[in-house]
Short mmCIF file of all heavy atoms in Angstrom, two decimals:
data_model
loop_
_atom_site.label_atom_id
_atom_site.label_comp_id
_atom_site.label_asym_id
_atom_site.label_seq_id
_atom_site.Cartn_x
_atom_site.Cartn_y
_atom_site.Cartn_z
N THR B 143 6.70 -14.93 15.52
CA THR B 143 7.08 -16.22 16.09
C THR B 143 6.34 -17.36 15.39
O THR B 143 6.63 -18.53 15.64
CB THR B 143 6.73 -16.28 17.60
OG1 THR B 143 5.33 -16.00 17.75
CG2 THR B 143 7.55 -15.28 18.39
N ALA B 144 5.39 -17.02 14.50
CA ALA B 144 4.56 -18.06 13.87
C ALA B 144 4.77 -18.17 12.36
O ALA B 144 4.38 -19.16 11.76
CB ALA B 144 3.08 -17.78 14.17
N CYS B 145 5.34 -17.13 11.74
CA CYS B 145 5.58 -17.16 10.28
C CYS B 145 6.89 -16.42 10.02
O CYS B 145 7.47 -15.84 10.93
CB CYS B 145 4.39 -16.54 9.52
SG CYS B 145 4.41 -14.73 9.36
N PRO B 146 7.39 -16.45 8.78
CA PRO B 146 8.72 -15.83 8.55
C PRO B 146 8.72 -14.30 8.46
O PRO B 146 9.76 -13.71 8.20
CB PRO B 146 9.16 -16.43 7.20
CG PRO B 146 8.16 -17.48 6.85
CD PRO B 146 6.91 -17.17 7.59
N ALA B 147 7.57 -13.65 8.71
CA ALA B 147 7.50 -12.20 8.48
C ALA B 147 8.42 -11.41 9.41
O ALA B 147 8.52 -11.71 10.60
CB ALA B 147 6.06 -11.71 8.64
N GLU B 148 9.07 -10.41 8.83
CA GLU B 148 9.89 -9.45 9.58
C GLU B 148 9.20 -8.10 9.46
O GLU B 148 8.70 -7.73 8.40
CB GLU B 148 11.29 -9.36 8.97
CG GLU B 148 12.05 -10.68 9.02
CD GLU B 148 13.42 -10.59 8.35
OE1 GLU B 148 13.60 -9.71 7.46
OE2 GLU B 148 14.30 -11.38 8.72
N HIS B 149 9.17 -7.34 10.56
CA HIS B 149 8.50 -6.04 10.57
C HIS B 149 9.49 -4.97 11.02
O HIS B 149 10.31 -5.21 11.90
CB HIS B 149 7.30 -6.09 11.52
CG HIS B 149 6.31 -7.16 11.16
ND1 HIS B 149 5.39 -7.02 10.16
CD2 HIS B 149 6.14 -8.42 11.64
CE1 HIS B 149 4.66 -8.13 10.05
NE2 HIS B 149 5.10 -9.00 10.94
N PHE B 150 9.37 -3.80 10.39
CA PHE B 150 10.32 -2.72 10.65
C PHE B 150 9.59 -1.47 11.13
O PHE B 150 8.45 -1.23 10.73
CB PHE B 150 11.12 -2.42 9.38
CG PHE B 150 11.88 -3.62 8.88
CD1 PHE B 150 11.33 -4.48 7.95
CD2 PHE B 150 13.13 -3.91 9.40
CE1 PHE B 150 12.02 -5.61 7.52
CE2 PHE B 150 13.83 -5.04 8.99
CZ PHE B 150 13.27 -5.90 8.05
N PRO B 151 10.24 -0.67 11.98
CA PRO B 151 9.60 0.56 12.47
C PRO B 151 9.08 1.38 11.30
O PRO B 151 9.72 1.47 10.25
CB PRO B 151 10.74 1.29 13.20
CG PRO B 151 11.66 0.20 13.64
CD PRO B 151 11.60 -0.84 12.54
N ARG B 152 7.92 1.97 11.52
CA ARG B 152 7.23 2.67 10.45
C ARG B 152 7.44 4.18 10.60
O ARG B 152 7.37 4.71 11.71
CB ARG B 152 5.75 2.32 10.55
CG ARG B 152 4.84 3.09 9.65
CD ARG B 152 3.44 2.50 9.69
NE ARG B 152 2.54 3.35 8.93
CZ ARG B 152 1.45 2.91 8.30
NH1 ARG B 152 1.10 1.64 8.36
NH2 ARG B 152 0.70 3.75 7.62
N THR B 153 7.68 4.84 9.49
CA THR B 153 7.75 6.30 9.45
C THR B 153 6.89 6.76 8.28
O THR B 153 7.11 6.35 7.15
CB THR B 153 9.21 6.78 9.24
OG1 THR B 153 10.00 6.32 10.32
CG2 THR B 153 9.29 8.29 9.17
N ASP B 154 5.90 7.60 8.55
CA ASP B 154 4.96 8.02 7.51
C ASP B 154 5.33 9.37 6.93
O ASP B 154 5.34 10.37 7.65
CB ASP B 154 3.54 8.10 8.09
CG ASP B 154 3.01 6.74 8.49
OD1 ASP B 154 3.03 5.84 7.63
OD2 ASP B 154 2.61 6.56 9.65
N PRO B 155 5.62 9.42 5.64
CA PRO B 155 5.92 10.72 5.03
C PRO B 155 4.66 11.57 4.89
O PRO B 155 3.62 11.11 4.43
CB PRO B 155 6.49 10.36 3.65
CG PRO B 155 6.02 8.98 3.36
CD PRO B 155 5.75 8.31 4.68
N VAL B 156 4.76 12.82 5.33
CA VAL B 156 3.66 13.79 5.29
C VAL B 156 4.16 15.04 4.58
O VAL B 156 5.25 15.53 4.91
CB VAL B 156 3.22 14.17 6.73
CG1 VAL B 156 2.18 15.29 6.71
CG2 VAL B 156 2.70 12.96 7.49
N THR B 157 3.40 15.54 3.63
CA THR B 157 3.77 16.83 3.04
C THR B 157 3.09 17.95 3.81
O THR B 157 1.95 17.82 4.26
CB THR B 157 3.36 16.93 1.57
OG1 THR B 157 1.97 16.61 1.44
CG2 THR B 157 4.18 16.00 0.69
N ILE B 158 3.80 19.06 3.97
CA ILE B 158 3.24 20.25 4.63
C ILE B 158 3.73 21.44 3.82
O ILE B 158 4.91 21.52 3.49
CB ILE B 158 3.63 20.30 6.12
CG1 ILE B 158 3.06 21.55 6.79
CG2 ILE B 158 5.12 20.17 6.35
CD1 ILE B 158 3.01 21.47 8.31
N MET B 159 2.81 22.33 3.43
CA MET B 159 3.19 23.26 2.38
C MET B 159 2.69 24.68 2.59
O MET B 159 1.57 24.91 3.02
CB MET B 159 2.70 22.78 1.02
CG MET B 159 1.31 22.19 1.01
SD MET B 159 1.42 20.40 1.43
CE MET B 159 -0.32 19.98 1.47
N LEU B 160 3.59 25.61 2.26
CA LEU B 160 3.23 27.02 2.16
C LEU B 160 2.81 27.27 0.72
O LEU B 160 3.62 27.09 -0.20
CB LEU B 160 4.40 27.91 2.52
CG LEU B 160 4.88 27.85 3.97
CD1 LEU B 160 5.95 28.90 4.20
CD2 LEU B 160 3.71 28.03 4.94
N VAL B 161 1.55 27.66 0.54
CA VAL B 161 1.03 27.93 -0.80
C VAL B 161 0.92 29.44 -0.95
O VAL B 161 0.30 30.11 -0.12
CB VAL B 161 -0.34 27.26 -0.98
CG1 VAL B 161 -0.94 27.62 -2.33
CG2 VAL B 161 -0.20 25.75 -0.82
N GLU B 162 1.56 29.96 -2.00
CA GLU B 162 1.70 31.41 -2.15
C GLU B 162 0.99 31.89 -3.40
O GLU B 162 0.99 31.20 -4.43
CB GLU B 162 3.20 31.73 -2.22
CG GLU B 162 3.50 33.21 -2.36
CD GLU B 162 4.97 33.53 -2.12
OE1 GLU B 162 5.75 32.61 -1.75
OE2 GLU B 162 5.35 34.70 -2.33
N HIS B 163 0.36 33.07 -3.31
CA HIS B 163 -0.19 33.71 -4.50
C HIS B 163 -0.03 35.22 -4.34
O HIS B 163 -0.59 35.80 -3.42
CB HIS B 163 -1.67 33.36 -4.68
CG HIS B 163 -2.22 33.85 -5.99
ND1 HIS B 163 -2.66 35.12 -6.18
CD2 HIS B 163 -2.33 33.21 -7.19
CE1 HIS B 163 -3.06 35.26 -7.44
NE2 HIS B 163 -2.87 34.13 -8.08
N ASP B 164 0.74 35.79 -5.23
CA ASP B 164 0.88 37.23 -5.27
C ASP B 164 1.28 37.79 -3.89
O ASP B 164 0.72 38.80 -3.43
CB ASP B 164 -0.47 37.83 -5.71
CG ASP B 164 -0.26 39.19 -6.41
OD1 ASP B 164 0.90 39.54 -6.66
OD2 ASP B 164 -1.28 39.86 -6.67
N GLY B 165 2.21 37.12 -3.23
CA GLY B 165 2.73 37.61 -1.96
C GLY B 165 1.91 37.27 -0.73
O GLY B 165 2.27 37.63 0.38
N ALA B 166 0.79 36.55 -0.94
CA ALA B 166 -0.02 36.13 0.21
C ALA B 166 0.09 34.62 0.39
O ALA B 166 0.40 33.89 -0.55
CB ALA B 166 -1.48 36.53 0.00
N LEU B 167 -0.17 34.16 1.61
CA LEU B 167 -0.05 32.73 1.94
C LEU B 167 -1.41 32.14 2.28
O LEU B 167 -2.21 32.74 3.00
CB LEU B 167 0.85 32.53 3.15
CG LEU B 167 2.35 32.50 2.98
CD1 LEU B 167 2.98 31.99 4.28
CD2 LEU B 167 2.76 31.61 1.81
N LEU B 168 -1.61 30.90 1.82
CA LEU B 168 -2.82 30.14 2.14
C LEU B 168 -2.57 29.32 3.41
O LEU B 168 -1.70 28.46 3.43
CB LEU B 168 -3.16 29.20 0.98
CG LEU B 168 -4.34 28.26 1.17
CD1 LEU B 168 -5.65 29.05 1.25
CD2 LEU B 168 -4.41 27.26 0.01
N LEU B 169 -3.34 29.61 4.46
CA LEU B 169 -3.22 28.83 5.70
C LEU B 169 -4.61 28.32 6.09
O LEU B 169 -5.62 28.90 5.69
CB LEU B 169 -2.64 29.71 6.82
CG LEU B 169 -1.24 30.30 6.55
CD1 LEU B 169 -0.83 31.23 7.69
CD2 LEU B 169 -0.21 29.20 6.36
N GLY B 170 -4.63 27.25 6.86
CA GLY B 170 -5.92 26.64 7.20
C GLY B 170 -6.04 26.34 8.68
O GLY B 170 -5.05 26.36 9.43
N ARG B 171 -7.26 26.09 9.09
CA ARG B 171 -7.58 25.73 10.47
C ARG B 171 -8.24 24.36 10.50
O ARG B 171 -9.27 24.15 9.85
CB ARG B 171 -8.66 26.69 10.99
CG ARG B 171 -8.26 27.72 11.97
CD ARG B 171 -9.46 28.40 12.61
NE ARG B 171 -10.09 27.51 13.58
CZ ARG B 171 -9.53 27.15 14.74
NH1 ARG B 171 -8.35 27.59 15.07
NH2 ARG B 171 -10.16 26.33 15.55
N GLN B 172 -7.64 23.43 11.24
CA GLN B 172 -8.31 22.16 11.50
C GLN B 172 -9.19 22.35 12.73
O GLN B 172 -8.85 23.13 13.62
CB GLN B 172 -7.29 21.05 11.75
CG GLN B 172 -6.45 20.72 10.52
CD GLN B 172 -5.38 19.68 10.81
OE1 GLN B 172 -5.55 18.85 11.69
NE2 GLN B 172 -4.27 19.74 10.09
N PRO B 173 -10.33 21.62 12.77
CA PRO B 173 -11.25 21.79 13.91
C PRO B 173 -10.57 21.55 15.26
O PRO B 173 -10.95 22.18 16.26
CB PRO B 173 -12.33 20.74 13.65
CG PRO B 173 -12.26 20.44 12.18
CD PRO B 173 -10.84 20.66 11.78
N ARG B 174 -9.55 20.67 15.30
CA ARG B 174 -8.90 20.35 16.57
C ARG B 174 -7.91 21.43 17.03
O ARG B 174 -7.36 21.34 18.14
CB ARG B 174 -8.18 19.00 16.47
CG ARG B 174 -7.04 18.98 15.48
CD ARG B 174 -6.29 17.63 15.48
NE ARG B 174 -5.20 17.64 14.52
CZ ARG B 174 -4.00 18.17 14.75
NH1 ARG B 174 -3.74 18.72 15.92
NH2 ARG B 174 -3.06 18.15 13.83
N PHE B 175 -7.62 22.42 16.21
CA PHE B 175 -6.64 23.47 16.57
C PHE B 175 -7.17 24.32 17.73
O PHE B 175 -8.37 24.53 17.85
CB PHE B 175 -6.40 24.41 15.39
CG PHE B 175 -5.46 23.88 14.32
CD1 PHE B 175 -4.93 22.60 14.39
CD2 PHE B 175 -5.12 24.67 13.24
CE1 PHE B 175 -4.07 22.13 13.39
CE2 PHE B 175 -4.26 24.22 12.24
CZ PHE B 175 -3.74 22.95 12.32
N PRO B 176 -6.26 24.87 18.55
CA PRO B 176 -6.68 25.87 19.54
C PRO B 176 -7.31 27.07 18.82
O PRO B 176 -6.99 27.34 17.65
CB PRO B 176 -5.37 26.29 20.22
CG PRO B 176 -4.35 25.28 19.84
CD PRO B 176 -4.80 24.63 18.58
N ALA B 177 -8.18 27.80 19.53
CA ALA B 177 -8.87 28.95 18.94
C ALA B 177 -7.88 29.94 18.32
O ALA B 177 -6.85 30.26 18.94
CB ALA B 177 -9.70 29.65 20.01
N GLY B 178 -8.15 30.39 17.11
CA GLY B 178 -7.33 31.41 16.49
C GLY B 178 -6.16 30.90 15.67
O GLY B 178 -5.59 31.62 14.85
N ARG B 179 -5.76 29.65 15.92
CA ARG B 179 -4.59 29.09 15.23
C ARG B 179 -4.87 28.82 13.75
O ARG B 179 -5.90 28.21 13.41
CB ARG B 179 -4.20 27.79 15.94
CG ARG B 179 -3.29 26.81 15.19
CD ARG B 179 -1.83 27.16 15.26
NE ARG B 179 -1.35 27.59 16.54
CZ ARG B 179 -1.01 26.78 17.56
NH1 ARG B 179 -1.08 25.48 17.47
NH2 ARG B 179 -0.56 27.29 18.70
N PHE B 180 -3.98 29.28 12.89
CA PHE B 180 -3.94 28.85 11.49
C PHE B 180 -2.55 28.28 11.22
O PHE B 180 -1.57 28.71 11.84
CB PHE B 180 -4.21 30.03 10.53
CG PHE B 180 -5.67 30.34 10.32
CD1 PHE B 180 -6.39 30.99 11.31
CD2 PHE B 180 -6.31 29.98 9.14
CE1 PHE B 180 -7.74 31.29 11.12
CE2 PHE B 180 -7.65 30.26 8.95
CZ PHE B 180 -8.38 30.92 9.93
N SER B 181 -2.48 27.32 10.31
CA SER B 181 -1.18 26.72 10.01
C SER B 181 -1.14 26.28 8.55
O SER B 181 -2.12 26.43 7.81
CB SER B 181 -0.90 25.56 10.95
OG SER B 181 0.43 25.10 10.80
N ALA B 182 0.00 25.73 8.15
CA ALA B 182 0.17 25.25 6.78
C ALA B 182 -0.72 24.03 6.55
O ALA B 182 -0.93 23.22 7.45
CB ALA B 182 1.63 24.89 6.55
N LEU B 183 -1.23 23.88 5.34
CA LEU B 183 -1.97 22.67 4.99
C LEU B 183 -0.98 21.49 4.98
O LEU B 183 0.21 21.67 4.73
CB LEU B 183 -2.61 22.80 3.60
CG LEU B 183 -3.55 24.00 3.40
CD1 LEU B 183 -4.26 23.88 2.04
CD2 LEU B 183 -4.57 24.12 4.52
N ALA B 184 -1.51 20.30 5.23
CA ALA B 184 -0.63 19.13 5.30
C ALA B 184 -1.42 17.87 5.01
O ALA B 184 -2.66 17.85 5.16
CB ALA B 184 0.02 19.03 6.68
N GLY B 185 -0.73 16.81 4.61
CA GLY B 185 -1.40 15.54 4.41
C GLY B 185 -0.40 14.44 4.09
O GLY B 185 0.71 14.71 3.62
N PHE B 186 -0.79 13.20 4.37
CA PHE B 186 0.08 12.05 4.14
C PHE B 186 0.36 11.85 2.64
O PHE B 186 -0.54 12.01 1.81
CB PHE B 186 -0.57 10.78 4.69
CG PHE B 186 -0.59 10.74 6.19
CD1 PHE B 186 -1.72 11.12 6.89
CD2 PHE B 186 0.54 10.35 6.90
CE1 PHE B 186 -1.74 11.11 8.28
CE2 PHE B 186 0.52 10.34 8.30
CZ PHE B 186 -0.61 10.71 8.99
N VAL B 187 1.59 11.49 2.33
CA VAL B 187 1.93 11.04 0.98
C VAL B 187 1.30 9.66 0.81
O VAL B 187 1.44 8.79 1.67
CB VAL B 187 3.45 10.95 0.78
CG1 VAL B 187 3.78 10.45 -0.62
CG2 VAL B 187 4.12 12.29 1.05
N GLU B 188 0.58 9.45 -0.30
CA GLU B 188 -0.07 8.16 -0.53
C GLU B 188 0.78 7.30 -1.47
O GLU B 188 1.63 7.82 -2.21
CB GLU B 188 -1.45 8.39 -1.14
CG GLU B 188 -2.42 9.08 -0.19
CD GLU B 188 -3.84 9.11 -0.70
OE1 GLU B 188 -4.07 8.84 -1.89
OE2 GLU B 188 -4.74 9.42 0.12
N PRO B 189 0.54 5.98 -1.45
CA PRO B 189 1.23 5.12 -2.42
C PRO B 189 1.02 5.66 -3.84
O PRO B 189 -0.07 6.09 -4.20
CB PRO B 189 0.53 3.77 -2.24
CG PRO B 189 0.03 3.78 -0.82
CD PRO B 189 -0.35 5.21 -0.56
N GLY B 190 2.08 5.65 -4.64
CA GLY B 190 1.96 6.06 -6.03
C GLY B 190 2.09 7.55 -6.28
O GLY B 190 1.76 8.03 -7.37
N GLU B 191 2.61 8.31 -5.30
CA GLU B 191 2.77 9.75 -5.48
C GLU B 191 4.20 10.18 -5.24
O GLU B 191 4.86 9.69 -4.31
CB GLU B 191 1.92 10.52 -4.44
CG GLU B 191 0.45 10.45 -4.64
CD GLU B 191 -0.30 11.28 -3.61
OE1 GLU B 191 0.10 11.30 -2.43
OE2 GLU B 191 -1.29 11.91 -4.00
N THR B 192 4.66 11.16 -6.00
CA THR B 192 5.87 11.89 -5.63
C THR B 192 5.49 12.89 -4.54
O THR B 192 4.31 13.15 -4.29
CB THR B 192 6.44 12.67 -6.83
OG1 THR B 192 5.47 13.65 -7.23
CG2 THR B 192 6.75 11.75 -8.02
N VAL B 193 6.51 13.49 -3.91
CA VAL B 193 6.26 14.56 -2.93
C VAL B 193 5.47 15.68 -3.60
O VAL B 193 4.49 16.21 -3.04
CB VAL B 193 7.62 15.09 -2.39
CG1 VAL B 193 7.43 16.40 -1.64
CG2 VAL B 193 8.28 14.04 -1.51
N GLU B 194 5.88 16.05 -4.80
CA GLU B 194 5.26 17.18 -5.51
C GLU B 194 3.80 16.86 -5.85
O GLU B 194 2.93 17.74 -5.76
CB GLU B 194 6.07 17.47 -6.79
CG GLU B 194 7.50 17.98 -6.51
CD GLU B 194 8.50 16.89 -6.10
OE1 GLU B 194 8.17 15.68 -6.17
OE2 GLU B 194 9.63 17.26 -5.70
N GLU B 195 3.52 15.63 -6.25
CA GLU B 195 2.14 15.24 -6.55
C GLU B 195 1.28 15.24 -5.29
O GLU B 195 0.11 15.62 -5.32
CB GLU B 195 2.11 13.86 -7.22
CG GLU B 195 2.63 13.87 -8.66
CD GLU B 195 2.75 12.49 -9.26
OE1 GLU B 195 2.90 11.49 -8.51
OE2 GLU B 195 2.74 12.38 -10.50
N ALA B 196 1.86 14.78 -4.19
CA ALA B 196 1.11 14.76 -2.93
C ALA B 196 0.75 16.18 -2.49
O ALA B 196 -0.37 16.44 -2.04
CB ALA B 196 1.92 14.04 -1.84
N VAL B 197 1.70 17.11 -2.63
CA VAL B 197 1.42 18.51 -2.29
C VAL B 197 0.26 19.04 -3.13
O VAL B 197 -0.71 19.61 -2.60
CB VAL B 197 2.68 19.39 -2.52
CG1 VAL B 197 2.33 20.87 -2.49
CG2 VAL B 197 3.75 19.07 -1.48
N ALA B 198 0.32 18.82 -4.42
CA ALA B 198 -0.72 19.34 -5.32
C ALA B 198 -2.08 18.72 -5.01
O ALA B 198 -3.10 19.41 -4.97
CB ALA B 198 -0.32 19.08 -6.77
N ARG B 199 -2.10 17.41 -4.75
CA ARG B 199 -3.37 16.75 -4.46
C ARG B 199 -3.97 17.26 -3.15
O ARG B 199 -5.17 17.57 -3.07
CB ARG B 199 -3.18 15.22 -4.38
CG ARG B 199 -4.47 14.47 -3.98
CD ARG B 199 -4.24 12.98 -3.80
NE ARG B 199 -3.15 12.69 -2.89
CZ ARG B 199 -3.20 12.80 -1.57
NH1 ARG B 199 -4.31 13.22 -0.95
NH2 ARG B 199 -2.15 12.51 -0.82
N GLU B 200 -3.14 17.38 -2.12
CA GLU B 200 -3.65 17.81 -0.81
C GLU B 200 -4.23 19.22 -0.88
O GLU B 200 -5.28 19.48 -0.30
CB GLU B 200 -2.53 17.78 0.24
CG GLU B 200 -2.17 16.40 0.74
CD GLU B 200 -3.27 15.76 1.59
OE1 GLU B 200 -4.18 16.47 2.04
OE2 GLU B 200 -3.21 14.54 1.77
N VAL B 201 -3.53 20.13 -1.56
CA VAL B 201 -4.01 21.52 -1.61
C VAL B 201 -5.31 21.58 -2.41
O VAL B 201 -6.25 22.30 -2.05
CB VAL B 201 -2.94 22.45 -2.20
CG1 VAL B 201 -3.46 23.89 -2.27
CG2 VAL B 201 -1.66 22.40 -1.36
N LEU B 202 -5.39 20.79 -3.47
CA LEU B 202 -6.63 20.76 -4.26
C LEU B 202 -7.77 20.14 -3.45
O LEU B 202 -8.88 20.67 -3.43
CB LEU B 202 -6.38 19.98 -5.55
CG LEU B 202 -7.52 20.01 -6.58
CD1 LEU B 202 -7.79 21.44 -7.05
CD2 LEU B 202 -7.19 19.11 -7.78
N GLU B 203 -7.49 19.04 -2.75
CA GLU B 203 -8.53 18.37 -1.96
C GLU B 203 -9.02 19.24 -0.81
O GLU B 203 -10.21 19.36 -0.57
CB GLU B 203 -7.98 17.08 -1.34
CG GLU B 203 -8.05 15.85 -2.22
CD GLU B 203 -7.41 14.64 -1.55
OE1 GLU B 203 -7.18 14.66 -0.32
OE2 GLU B 203 -7.12 13.68 -2.26
N GLU B 204 -8.08 19.83 -0.08
CA GLU B 204 -8.44 20.52 1.16
C GLU B 204 -8.95 21.93 0.91
O GLU B 204 -9.80 22.42 1.67
CB GLU B 204 -7.24 20.57 2.12
CG GLU B 204 -6.86 19.19 2.62
CD GLU B 204 -5.90 19.25 3.81
OE1 GLU B 204 -5.55 20.35 4.25
OE2 GLU B 204 -5.51 18.16 4.27
N ALA B 205 -8.42 22.60 -0.12
CA ALA B 205 -8.77 24.02 -0.31
C ALA B 205 -9.28 24.33 -1.71
O ALA B 205 -9.67 25.48 -1.97
CB ALA B 205 -7.57 24.89 0.01
N GLY B 206 -9.29 23.34 -2.60
CA GLY B 206 -9.78 23.59 -3.97
C GLY B 206 -8.85 24.48 -4.78
O GLY B 206 -9.27 25.06 -5.78
N VAL B 207 -7.59 24.58 -4.37
CA VAL B 207 -6.62 25.46 -5.04
C VAL B 207 -5.63 24.61 -5.84
O VAL B 207 -5.07 23.64 -5.33
CB VAL B 207 -5.87 26.32 -3.99
CG1 VAL B 207 -4.72 27.10 -4.63
CG2 VAL B 207 -6.84 27.28 -3.30
N THR B 208 -5.43 25.01 -7.11
CA THR B 208 -4.46 24.31 -7.97
C THR B 208 -3.10 24.97 -7.81
O THR B 208 -3.00 26.20 -7.84
CB THR B 208 -4.92 24.40 -9.44
OG1 THR B 208 -6.20 23.79 -9.54
CG2 THR B 208 -3.94 23.68 -10.37
N VAL B 209 -2.04 24.16 -7.64
CA VAL B 209 -0.70 24.72 -7.45
C VAL B 209 0.26 24.23 -8.53
O VAL B 209 0.02 23.24 -9.20
CB VAL B 209 -0.11 24.39 -6.05
CG1 VAL B 209 -0.99 24.92 -4.94
CG2 VAL B 209 0.15 22.90 -5.90
#
Side-chain angles (χ1 to χ4, degrees):
Chain B
T143 56
C145 84
E148 298 177 335
H149 303 280
F150 301 92
R152 172 172 174 151
T153 299
D154 293 306
V156 174
T157 52
I158 179 162
M159 40 274 176
L160 293 186
V161 176
E162 181 167 354
H163 188 277
D164 207 8
L167 277 192
L168 176 66
L169 301 175
R171 253 192 74 69
Q172 294 176 28
R174 64 176 180 81
F175 281 4
R179 162 81 42 82
F180 277 75
S181 189
L183 304 188
F186 289 97
V187 179
E188 294 189 347
E191 290 183 321
T192 63
V193 167
E194 294 77 9
E195 288 173 335
V197 167
R199 176 185 52 75
E200 283 291 345
V201 179
L202 188 61
E203 274 177 16
E204 294 194 1
V207 172
T208 300
V209 301

